[in-house]
Amino acid sequence: MKKNILVTGGAGFIGSNFIRCAFKQPGFKGKIVNLDKLTYAGNPENLAGIQKKYRGRYVFAKGDICDYKTVLALMKKHDISVVAHFAAESHVDRSIFGPKDFIETNINGTFTLLEAARTFWAGRKDVRFHHVSTDEVYGSLGAAGKFKETTPYDPRSPYSASKASSDHLVRAYGHTYGLPVTISNCSNNYGPFHFPEKLIPLVILNALGGKPLPVYGDGLQVRDWLYVEDHCSAIWRIISRGRAGATYNVGGNCEMKNIDVVKGICGALEALAPSAKNPALGGRKYSDLITYVKDRPGHDRRYAIDFSRIKKELGWSPSVDFKTGLRRTVAWYLANEAWVENVKTGAYRSWLKKNYK
Ligand code: NAD
Ligand code: TYD
């Protein structure tokens, strides 16, 4: 594939993993343009070395997806024929305390990208607009059943409502203007470069620092965990071979209660960095730090994904089981002290100021 791809939000967790994954695809010879506003969650260190490794094929553009002129100019300048849209405000807790940015970026930003694509592509069919979305648009499950692509939307947090809105816009541009769109609705990701406000990296780093491991409510909420590289390979397949107009659910076939995830992290840490040798623990075990705290308002109880469509149509299934993925993730955080330190202290922000005035 020689097409040039505009990745939005490529300095974030999944976007940066996707850029690495795309460059590794044997048939991909095109260019990747990464448009990222570098919010608190965007960190160019997530892509350290990529420019050098793929000289002439990687372009970073600091900018806002809500800025129509910027988006259109980039599409024209780099002859973009695929948009892989990751940029979003992505944290449910932040959406509860301050929903405004979620409306702006997730809804207006997606609308702006769609408008730019519609204008620039002017009816072309050899192009693709892929929207990276979440299973949270389907709401919350009871004890049984899984989300299918046909499950009615029932978003329950400002985050999921904003993602549901953007999904609707993407689909509407497919129906109304014939824009070749695809959507993936994926379950919870984990892996390297995950910003430590989300459960798994937060618990790893708090545990290493001897701090409480906060478990919301009773800890019996269920999420379906997927290793980030598996998500990226699913997106690559959808972009390359997915049907225009289709939605694909992507999941890990890995339902876990939050409390079991936290205990799993403690177990992996005991194996790789024993608490007995960690002075921050002062004789305690990592699991002694587990602390039940006040529940998240409107906390969805259970998510689970039926990914039979992408399996049947595109031959995709997750390849990394949770135990392996979690060990790899814990090992990554242990091995990347400088990244962790910079993220924790915000040191990368001064680097940003210097490099992106
Ligand atoms: P993230 O918060 O780690 O990264 C988001 C990136 O978008 C950051 O680099 C940020 O700087 C950038 N960004 C934010 N607002 C922007 C704007 N207005 N213009 C340009 N760039 C902007 O998020 P993530 O976890 O990597 O999620 C990526 C996408 O995947 C999101 O759309 C999210 O809804 C979706 N998703 C995430 C998960 C998950 O478990 N993390 C699961 C399913 C779907
Ligand atoms: P999170 O990583 O924020 O992802 P999402 O809300 O998109 O599923 O949270 C995963 C689960 O872990 C969710 O049920 C909320 C819970 N959680 C905690 O129990 N403690 C925490 O400190 C965090 C951040 C999340």
Side-chain angles (χ1 to χ4, degrees):
M1 175 163 124
K2 195 156 183 347
K3 294 178 170 176
N4 294 336
I5 308 177
L6 175 66
V7 171
T8 69
F13 164 48
I14 307 174
S16 60
N17 276 286
F18 175 77
I19 290 174
R20 263 187 302 277
C21 160
F23 275 129
K24 282 187 202 143
Q25 300 300 320
F28 176 55
K29 306 279 179 251
K31 199 156 75 171
I32 291 182
V33 179
N34 174 10
L35 171 62
D36 197 299
K37 186 177 166 183
L38 300 179
T39 66
Y40 77 94
N43 180 357
E45 277 187 40
N46 294 355
L47 288 161
I50 206 94
Q51 197 130 24
K52 211 165 155 197
K53 193 161 178 192
Y54 300 101
R55 206 175 286 280
R57 294 178 62 203
Y58 174 73
V59 176
F60 178 76
K62 183 179 185 299
D64 192 332
I65 58 164
C66 301
D67 178 355
Y68 178 77
K69 276 193 187 153
T70 298
V71 176
L72 188 62
L74 279 177
M75 291 191 79
K76 282 186 181 163
K77 181 173 176 193
H78 299 286
D79 191 21
I80 296 296
S81 45
V82 175
V83 172
H85 175 32
F86 295 80
E89 288 295 334
S90 68
H91 189 35
V92 174
D93 292 328
R94 281 182 191 254
S95 85
I96 293 168
F97 297 109
K100 194 164 183 295
D101 287 348
F102 288 72
I103 305 306
E104 188 56 21
T105 287
N106 300 2
I107 305 178
N108 288 334
T110 303
F111 162 70
T112 306
L113 287 171
L114 286 163
E115 275 294 279
R118 178 166 84 92
T119 305
F120 179 58
W121 289 336
R124 274 173 64 185
K125 294 294 169 218
D126 60 333
V127 290
R128 177 57 59 87
F129 186 105
H130 181 72
H131 183 225
V132 181
S133 192
T134 167
D135 59 353
E136 303 191 25
V137 298
Y138 298 122
S140 185
L141 289 164
K146 293 188 176 196
F147 297 133
K148 294 171 88 75
E149 287 84 355
T150 49
T151 302
Y153 275 32
D154 182 23
R156 292 146 47 98
S157 73
Y159 165 67
S160 54
S162 68
K163 292 297 287 187
S165 308
S166 52
D167 284 3
H168 289 322
L169 280 170
V170 173
R171 241 173 242 126
Y173 271 64
H175 283 293
T176 308
Y177 304 113
L179 195 74
V181 298
T182 38
I183 297 175
S184 49
N185 293 95
C186 184
S187 61
N188 286 61
N189 285 213
Y190 67 103
F193 303 102
H194 208 178
F195 192 81
E197 63 185 354
K198 307 278 169 61
L199 180 69
I200 290 184
L202 179 95
V203 165
I204 296 172
L205 298 189
N206 276 16
L208 287 170
K211 296 185 188 153
L213 312 181
V215 175
Y216 295 166
D218 61 9
L220 301 180
Q221 304 81 7
V222 172
R223 297 293 182 264
D224 176 352
W225 292 95
L226 179 69
Y227 193 63
V228 64
E229 288 176 6
D230 275 332
H231 185 193
C232 295
S233 72
I235 294 170
W236 184 261
R237 269 189 211 207
I238 297 169
I239 286 172
S240 341
R241 298 200 270 122
R243 277 179 295 121
T247 291
Y248 295 92
N249 278 358
V250 180
N253 202 16
C254 174
E255 286 184 53
M256 299 273 300
K257 294 185 185 85
N258 288 342
I259 185 64
D260 292 334
V261 171
V262 174
K263 285 180 181 166
I265 295 168
C266 292
L269 279 168
E270 291 294 356
L272 297 172
S275 52
K277 292 191 189 157
N278 182 339
L281 270 290
R284 294 166 299 172
K285 292 203 173 80
Y286 291 118
S287 57
D288 294 337
L289 303 172
I290 295 174
T291 309
Y292 287 90
V293 299
K294 194 166 173 282
D295 207 354
R296 169 189 282 174
H299 198 169
D300 288 341
R301 196 66 180 167
R302 177 172 163 260
Y303 303 146
I305 281 275
D306 175 342
F307 60 86
S308 47
R309 177 181 286 175
I310 188 171
K311 187 174 179 190
K312 189 164 160 233
E313 286 188 20
L314 304 178
W316 178 91
S317 304
S319 68
V320 180
D321 67 78
F322 190 68
K323 199 170 171 211
T324 310
L326 195 59
R327 268 215 170 210
R328 262 191 220 171
T329 305
V330 168
W332 186 88
Y333 280 87
L334 288 169
N336 286 274
E337 269 177 51
W339 184 94
V340 167
E341 223 25 60
N342 282 348
V343 167
K344 278 204 308 205
T345 59
Y348 71 95
R349 302 212 167 276
S350 51
W351 185 87
L352 282 183
K353 270 196 201 132
K354 213 168 56 200
N355 289 279
Y356 301 106
K357 290 207 174 82

